[in-house]
Each structure stands twice: as C-alpha cells, then as structure tokens.
Amino acid sequence: MSKNPNKFFVTTPIYYVNDVPHIGHAYTTIAADVIARYKRSEGYDVFFLTGTDEHGQKVQQAARDLGVEPQAHVDKLHERFKELWVRFNTSHNDFIRTTEERHKQVVRAILQDLFACGQIYKDSYEGWYCTPCERFWTEKDLLEGHCPECKRAVTQIEESNYFFKMGQYGKWLEEHIRTHERFILPASRRNEVLGFLARPLGDLCISRPKARLPWGIPLPFDEEYVTYVWFDALINYISIHGHLKDIHASGYWPADYHLVGKDILTTHSVYWPTMLKASGLEPPTTIFAHGWWTVNGQKMSKSLRNVVEPNHLIDRFGVDAIRYFLMREVPFGMDGDFSHKALIGRINSDLANNLGNLLNRTLNMIDRYHDGCIPAPVEPQKNDKLKCEFLETVPQIHELYRELAYNKILERIWKLVDTANKWIDSNAPWNLVKTEEGKQELASVMYNTAESLRAIAILIYPFMPATGEKIMQQLGIQTPIEQQGIGSILTWNGTPPGTRINPGPQLFPRIEDKEAEKILASVQSAASAPADTAPADTAAATTEGVPEEKDLISIEDFMKIDLRTGKIVEAEKVKKSKKLVQLKVDIGNGEVRQVLAGIATAYEPAQLVGRTIILVANLKPAKLMGIESQGMVLAGSENDRIVLAGFDQTLAEGVRIK
Ligand code: MSP
C-alpha cells in the first residue's frame, strides 16, 4: 500500500540526548507542531514524530565520566526533552528513542537485508576521524588539518569497517533532486546539495568497531561492530511504523516533511534517501532546512553562557509568547537572532496591544450593549467587508503553509486583527447604540466582530494553542477549538447567537518599561556572572570531556585563584528567583562577604547556615537581580543535582585552599 492521501507525516530530528535542550531545539519542535496542528484542523490524519538520539561516542563518554551505565544515563537524560515538549504544549503522536527495542529491531532488519543483497561490504579504512562529530574525513576534506564541520582536531585512524554502497546512487539522487522541486526546501538549500553532489559520491562507512565504541546497535551480521549513529538515527523516521511491510501498510510513508536544521541537511538529503532507495522505499516528500538562532548576534554556547534555556523563558513570559516569537520573528529557513528586547517588543505590540485589545474591547461592548450575550446579526447585513477579508485570507494562508512561511502566515493573521480593530473604530458602536435604527446595525457589527475573533482563535491555534482556547472560552463558545476546523471559518456563522460571553484575565499583560528594564538588566548580568550564579547552567563543575593540551593551565595560573574556607552565617532565598540564595559568608579576620549562589533548588536556607564552604574570594564582584555578589561558592552539578563542595573534617574560616 502506498501513501494514504488523508494521512500527513511530519518529523523533527531526534535530539542528541546529551545536549541541554535550548531554544534551537525548541524551534524545530514548535515548527513541526504548528504544521501538525494546522493539518489536523484541515481534517488530515496527522502523525507528528519527535524523539532522542541516544547512541554514540559522546553518550558513552559522558556515562563513563559519571560512572554510570549508558542505558541508565540516557533513561534519565531523555526526560529533559520529553518534559520540555510537555511544557511547550506540542502535540506529537510519539516520542522515539533509538535505544528502544522497537527501533533497534528495524535497524538490524534493514542492515541484514542490505547485507544479504550485497549493498554492504567490508573494507579497511585509513583516514581521519572526528570524534565529536563521529565522522570520517578524507585528507582533502580537512580544513587546515581540522574537522571541516566543528573545526576541532581530528585523529588518524586505520581500521576495518563495513560500508554501504551509497556511491552508486549519486546520479539517481541528483536526478531526483532536479525533478522534484519540493524535495529540498528552501530552494537555496537545494542548490547547496546539488553542489555537494557535483563531486562523486563515495560509499558510507556504517560501522564502528565494538572494541572502540561499544555503545551502539550491534550489526546483525558481525557482532564485533556497532552501527554508525547516523545510519541508526535516520531509521527512526520509519522504525516508528514497524518493519518494512508495516511502513507501507501504515499509509504515512513517504513523510510529508522532515524538518531539520541547516547543519544536518546533508545527512538527511544524501545519506537518508539513498538508504531508503536501497531498501526499496520512496524518499520523503520534503526535507525543509531551517536556519540557526544566535543570541544577541553570537552563536549559542555553554562557554559563552548565552544558551537560552527555554524553561526560563516559559517561566517568565509564558509558552505562547515564546512560540509566537520564534515563529514570527524570522522567516523559516533563515538564520535569526534571539534577544529579550525583541521578545518583549513583540509581546507588547502584537500580543498585548493588538490581539489582547481586540478581545477586551469586543467583550466589553458585548457586555455593555447586549447584556453579555452575543447578538444575532440582522439580515441581510449591510456591510460584509470584514467577512470578505477573512474569506479571502484563508486560502492565502493555506498556500503559505505549503512553503512553511510561518512568519508570513502570522503577518496575515495580524493584518486581520488590525482589520477587525479598524472595523470596530469605523462602525463606532458607541454611536450606534444611541438610536433605535443604529441598534439594529449594532447587533450585526457585534456579531461579526465576535465571529472574526472566533476565526482568529482558529487561525492562531496552531501557533498558540492555549491562547486560541482562551479566546474561545472568553467568547463562551462551547465546541472545543480542535473540532472547529479551519473550514468552519468559511461558513462565517460558527458563533451561535445568544452565546453568553465569559470574560477572563487579559491574554497578554503588557510588560511595562520599568519591568522590561529590570528583565534586560538581569539577563545582561547573568550573562557576565560567575559560573555558580548564571542561570543557564548553575554549577562550577560539569561533566564535560577532558581538556585539550591548549586548554591546560599552569600552577601559577591556578594560584591566582584565591580559594578560601568560609562559614555561612546567614542565608535567604532571593525574591523572584528560583535558583538564587543570598548568603553572608564569614571568611575570617572579621570579614563577611555577601555572596549569591545558584543553589536554591538544592538547599533550603536553614540547611546552609553553619556550613563551611569553599569560596572564590578574589572574583570580581557582579550584580545579579540588583544584588552584589562578592565571590563564588564552589559546587558540583550532575545533571539537575547540585552538591556543595566541602570537607570531611572541620577547618576554621579564611583558610587558603590549594
Ligand atoms: N541527533 C542529530 C539528528 C539526528 S536526526 C535523524 C542532531 N541532533 S541535535 O540535537 O544536535 O540537533 C537537533 C536539531 O536542533 C537540528 O535540527 C539542529 O539544527 C537544531 N539546532 C541546534 N542548535 C540550533 C540553533 N542554535 N538554532 C536552530 N536550530 C538548532 O543533529
């Protein structure tokens, strides 16, 4: 059986389980959620898939550093992604993990089939290997002797491995790309891949010797080897539907959209289609490569302390504001820059002023002029300009969805919000209510305004599901929003006359200038704060890998750090902060330091008083949430657990630690 035309399948990449989820990851998942929700509202049977990539060198190394089994490690880590998607209200139908049996079985079955029909062969390999990227490179691929992708050092390697005959599909793939305009989007990315294919396509090494890397799926035909992570990971898109025969029967294949970041376009548009071709499956319909987010113009990186932690953003601004911002700010496919200032600007203008105001004034007027019940329009209606604009916009939005032009879709929806606000102004209900004749027209004006809000709720629902629901609730409309499909806008009579409205709290309270200044200042100081107080990753000790030679420091360097014992004499939580505790630390000779530490999630203030800690005493003071911190407390963190560094015997205050 081939693709069922009523079925729609969209995927995100499966995220490396080791990474701390950040807005870059959230971006892809939210984008997939938007199209999934939209397609459901059009009546499609949608399957939206996300998950985690759990094998490979980095996971093995991290587990080893922690002294735990890799399986236990990934069982714990994958939860961070799962939990984040719950917070972001994403409507995925399944969450695949590459360590699950259902996935491993399909990978092994595919490998076995390919091996049996001579598509996989063994050969010895000599060349360069980049451990962080887990990829082989030829001499000419290297950039000044470094990995062309991550720019880190590569190691020379010589070993026997298994290879997939990818090279033989080069011409076919090129032809497929040329004849299927929508296979790689946006078009500029398509040219990039064609450029890549201009050079002869080599075969793909799909194994790693178990002796070097045991954490992977063993090859079914040679247990001394495990499967290369990318070969393993890409199969997630089909293993979810079962074995090859079940994939056909599911009716979901080929996938309609694989959404990926531009960094993983080659693996998706070269490795993946050739793997599918060799297995007798069709390539996906569209691979859409989106751009990358930077933060205030810089690449997000742990060492720069600028990783935008989505949980913090949600706590502060709410889920829908973040979803809206990410989809509205930058055309999908282009790179974008994240800044709190731009986010606050969008919240205040688009969400609080335009949308929030439309809902508030509509509900106020229905309350005042019609005793809180949406009136029936008087037929025939004199002026249906508002309705016409909505009906014209729906097909335009449909077209824009085909290109995943999310920012343009939101622009069009906000144009409708604007039109509805202007429609109220031009009809001036406050004047109509003054005369008997005017009151007739007033009923039509208010009905149409309510109906336009219902339509706006349906249109924004894929982007801001909770906000769409809230608008429906406040309008008093009982039918669940997901049952009011996009098509119901076209009937323009979905709001039952006589519905009693149910006004509630403001959708998006305005962030006043003073508050905005405070937020911006705290973001700035956190970015330049000492490690234990920065919000992104709190503790000083992390589970990162072994430093490279160039990163080693001399004893003189180390001695520059004035580490001292200190006794905590006072401790209290910092108001409005979940992580920070304000400490008074006695460091001897009558000196008491005020120090902020990001340990509130791990310790109650009462547990801290009387403890001897290690303080970095010569750290430049920094202000956090307006409070000065005169030092840094040492602590270790293992995933979400924070443990203060201390001693197994007592020491007086102010003792130098070396
Ligand atoms: N595990 C592989 C994907 C295997 S799919 C069969 C992987 N994982 S990842 O966690 O590193 O990246 C997942 C996605 O997050 C990619 O699409 C990547 O582009 C995206 N992003 C990671 N950082 C990003 C930004 N700063 N901005 C936007 N997206 C970014 O690659």
Side-chain angles (χ1 to χ4, degrees):
M1 226 170 87
S2 56
K3 174 93 177 181
N4 177 332
N6 295 322
K7 294 195 175 187
F8 181 86
F9 182 31
V10 58
T11 68
T12 72
I14 47 172
Y15 302 99
Y16 284 131
V17 73
N18 249 12
D19 289 351
V20 179
H22 57 61
I23 53 157
H25 305 123
Y27 186 49
T28 328
T29 310
I30 292 168
D33 190 48
V34 173
I35 184 80
R37 286 179 184 271
Y38 175 72
K39 284 287 167 185
R40 285 193 198 106
S41 84
E42 276 195 321
Y44 282 86
D45 169 353
V46 170
F47 199 100
F48 162 21
L49 176 66
T50 188
T52 37
D53 193 350
E54 303 191 352
H55 288 123
Q57 189 103 33
K58 278 180 259 180
V59 171
Q60 179 178 290
Q61 187 60 46
R64 212 171 258 169
D65 292 344
L66 289 170
V68 294
E69 285 301 317
Q71 188 63 57
H73 183 57
V74 297
D75 284 348
K76 189 167 163 197
L77 287 198
H78 86 279
E79 292 289 350
R80 297 184 303 187
F81 284 94
K82 262 195 181 155
E83 281 161 12
L84 186 64
W85 304 150
V86 171
R87 291 207 74 191
F88 266 119
N89 204 0
T90 59
S91 63
H92 47 284
N93 298 82
D94 209 332
F95 186 102
I96 182 106
R97 301 177 55 199
T98 52
T99 53
E100 286 175 279
E101 209 44 53
R102 58 176 177 164
H103 171 75
K104 291 194 281 192
Q105 274 183 17
V106 178
V107 173
R108 282 167 69 89
I110 288 177
L111 283 165
Q112 185 61 52
D113 286 353
L114 293 180
F115 186 66
C117 64
Q119 298 276 335
I120 289 175
Y121 63 95
K122 195 173 182 183
D123 202 359
S124 75
Y125 174 86
E126 202 188 324
W128 299 95
Y129 189 65
C130 173
T131 310
C133 295
E134 299 183 27
R135 279 181 77 169
F136 289 101
W137 300 107
T138 60
E139 184 81 40
K140 67 175 181 341
D141 290 328
L142 301 184
L143 267 185
E144 291 166 7
H146 286 74
C147 169
E149 222 161 76
C150 71
K151 321 279 181 295
R152 278 181 275 205
V154 285
T155 15
Q156 191 156 33
I157 216 166
E158 192 188 340
E159 63 190 22
S160 285
N161 263 313
Y162 285 89
F163 291 81
F164 161 53
K165 291 184 181 167
M166 182 165 78
Q168 63 181 324
Y169 298 110
K171 284 281 157 256
W172 163 81
L173 182 60
E174 201 181 326
E175 185 60 18
H176 184 83
I177 297 174
R178 289 198 192 282
T179 51
H180 294 76
E181 279 204 341
R182 293 185 56 78
F183 179 53
I184 297 171
L185 289 178
S188 54
R189 301 280 171 210
R190 188 166 164 252
N191 297 335
E192 249 172 51
V193 179
L194 285 172
F196 176 85
L197 289 173
R199 288 199 295 174
L201 185 62
D203 289 347
L204 180 67
C205 178
I206 52 107
S207 67
R208 300 291 181 264
K210 218 176 193 171
R212 182 159 68 80
L213 172 65
W215 186 237
I217 303 177
L219 297 185
F221 42 84
D222 190 342
E223 298 277 327
E224 290 307 306
Y225 289 86
V226 297
T227 315
Y228 168 45
V229 271
W230 269 103
F231 196 94
D232 159 358
L234 286 160
I235 291 176
N236 90 87
Y237 300 132
I238 53 176
S239 66
I240 197 77
H241 304 301
H243 287 276
L244 288 184
K245 60 175 178 12
D246 309 315
I247 296 159
H248 287 295
S250 77
Y252 286 112
W253 195 259
D256 292 273
Y257 287 98
H258 285 324
L259 303 191
V260 300
K262 62 180 184 181
D263 53 319
I264 53 174
L265 178 61
T266 319
T267 45
H268 279 81
S269 58
V270 178
Y271 298 2
W272 183 222
T274 56
M275 286 164 63
L276 287 164
K277 174 85 177 154
S279 304
L281 284 171
E282 275 180 69
T285 307
T286 299
I287 300 163
F288 195 109
H290 65 69
W292 264 47
W293 282 91
T294 50
V295 176
N296 298 320
Q298 280 184 312
K299 195 176 168 202
M300 260 187 279
S301 113
K302 252 184 162 182
S303 53
L304 289 175
R305 305 217 150 276
N306 65 352
V307 174
V308 180
E309 219 282 46
N311 282 298
H312 293 169
L313 288 182
I314 295 175
D315 291 343
R316 179 61 196 82
F317 301 102
V319 172
D320 279 0
I322 313 299
R323 289 178 60 119
Y324 174 78
F325 178 78
L326 292 177
M327 294 295 108
R328 175 67 185 85
E329 192 67 2
V330 195
F332 200 58
M334 310 277 280
D335 290 340
D337 190 48
F338 182 91
S339 80
H340 284 76
K341 197 170 170 199
L343 171 62
I344 293 171
R346 287 268 174 219
I347 292 176
N348 282 348
S349 67
D350 303 5
L351 302 181
N353 282 3
N354 300 350
L355 178 65
N357 193 26
L358 175 65
L359 180 68
N360 285 349
R361 64 198 299 222
T362 306
L363 296 179
N364 278 340
M365 286 186 282
I366 293 175
D367 196 31
R368 203 166 331 138
Y369 306 143
H370 299 282
D371 293 331
C373 282
I374 299 172
V378 176
E379 303 291 350
Q381 292 186 47
K382 212 172 80 186
N383 186 347
D384 60 1
K385 209 170 136 246
L386 184 68
K387 171 179 165 185
C388 285
E389 190 164 335
F390 273 76
L391 302 199
E392 274 166 21
T393 303
V394 171
Q396 291 167 4
I397 286 183
H398 177 77
E399 279 310 304
L400 292 170
Y401 264 111
R402 263 175 67 75
E403 306 312 314
L404 304 187
Y406 295 126
N407 72 320
K408 286 197 185 145
I409 297 170
L410 286 169
E411 234 175 69
R412 296 295 296 129
I413 300 174
W414 254 257
K415 203 162 160 259
L416 293 174
V417 171
D418 200 39
T419 305
N421 267 322
K422 286 191 179 130
W423 148 273
I424 297 176
D425 296 340
S426 63
N427 282 289
W430 42 92
N431 289 335
L432 293 176
V433 74
K434 290 180 191 157
T435 64
E436 276 318 302
E437 200 196 344
K439 279 185 185 160
Q440 299 276 311
E441 203 180 327
L442 177 65
S444 292
V445 169
M446 290 324 299
Y447 181 84
N448 279 304
T449 313
E451 182 64 1
S452 68
L453 265 165
R454 187 186 76 90
I456 286 165
I458 293 172
L459 291 171
I460 64 173
Y461 176 72
F463 295 89
M464 301 196 282
T467 305
E469 276 166 8
K470 280 185 205 156
I471 296 177
M472 283 298 171
Q473 273 162 16
Q474 298 207 20
L475 285 173
I477 297 172
Q478 302 292 327
T479 315
I481 191 163
E482 61 278 7
Q483 285 173 26
Q484 303 180 50
I486 203 90
S488 85
I489 298 174
L490 303 177
T491 60
W492 205 252
N493 61 3
T495 306
T499 301
R500 176 154 290 283
I501 58 166
N502 181 24
Q506 273 187 348
L507 294 178
F508 296 96
R510 218 189 118 71
I511 301 172
E512 298 303 338
D513 290 352
K514 271 211 167 127
E515 177 66 8
E517 272 167 32
K518 253 175 43 198
I519 295 172
L520 297 179
S522 82
V523 173
Q524 202 135 44
S525 64
S528 55
D532 69 338
T533 47
D537 25 8
T538 308
T542 68
T543 55
E544 298 279 78
V546 182
E548 289 177 24
E549 176 84 34
K550 67 176 173 39
D551 297 326
L552 297 177
I553 60 166
S554 66
I555 186 75
E556 290 77 28
D557 290 334
F558 174 72
M559 291 306 282
K560 283 187 200 154
I561 308 172
D562 184 7
L563 293 174
R564 284 176 191 275
T565 55
K567 186 183 245 166
I568 301 177
V569 288
E570 277 175 37
E572 60 175 309
K573 283 196 173 162
V574 172
K575 276 191 204 117
K576 294 201 180 144
S577 164
K578 285 200 171 148
K579 290 198 163 181
L580 292 180
V581 183
Q582 184 176 341
L583 306 170
K584 292 273 160 54
V585 182
D586 181 350
I587 55 163
N589 293 329
E591 192 178 349
V592 175
R593 293 280 184 90
Q594 170 171 288
V595 179
L596 293 180
I599 53 174
T601 51
Y603 294 90
E604 285 301 320
Q607 290 174 282
L608 293 167
V609 176
R611 269 183 95 111
T612 301
I613 47 87
I614 304 174
L615 189 79
V616 182
N618 60 343
L619 197 69
K620 220 159 126 189
K623 265 198 175 166
L624 281 168
M625 306 194 75
I627 309 168
E628 186 172 86
S629 182
Q630 303 156 335
M632 179 170 84
V633 175
L634 293 195
S637 83
E638 188 185 296
N639 304 323
D640 294 338
R641 217 158 56 89
I642 301 172
V643 180
L644 280 172
F647 303 92
D648 59 359
Q649 290 180 31
T650 45
L651 274 177
E653 295 83 63
V655 173
R656 181 94 200 255
I657 321 266
K658 294 184 264 193

